[in-house]
Amino acid sequence: MDKKISFATGALQRKFGDMRAIEIAKEIGADAVDFDTSCERWDYRSQGQIYSKSDDEICEYFTAL
């Protein structure tokens, strides 16, 4: 059986953003990612941050990624 590679993207997300973190994981050949969706990364009180948006907008954002 082939080995599968999983990759935690949290540090890359903080440095490069969500989309680029996923792209990097793909470029290095990760089969799966542990994607950071923690609320600590985004201040829900700051306008424009993902968790300050509606539930539908949050779902749309993460689905698009």
Side-chain angles (χ1 to χ4, degrees), residues 4 6 9 11 16-17 26 29 33-34 37-38 40-41 46 48 50-51 53 55 58-59:
K4 299 291 181 184
S6 179
T9 61
F16 300 111
K26 180 180 177 181
V33 295
D34 179 6
T37 59
S38 65
E40 292 83 32
R41 287 189 45 231
S46 297
I50 190 61
Y51 287 121
K53 299 178 185 285
D55 289 347
I58 293 168
C59 289

Side-chain angles (χ1 to χ4, degrees), residues 12-32:
L12 291 176
Q13 286 173 256
R14 286 185 290 282
K15 185 169 183 171
F16 300 111
D18 295 332
M19 183 58 77
R20 183 64 185 130
I22 291 175
E23 291 169 348
I24 291 169
K26 180 180 177 181
E27 289 168 10
I28 65 171
D31 297 296

Side-chain angles (χ1 to χ4, degrees), residues 39-52:
C39 293
E40 292 83 32
R41 287 189 45 231
W42 294 287
D43 185 351
Y44 67 91
R45 297 164 296 188
S46 297
Q47 189 174 10
Q49 295 291 314
I50 190 61
Y51 287 121
S52 70

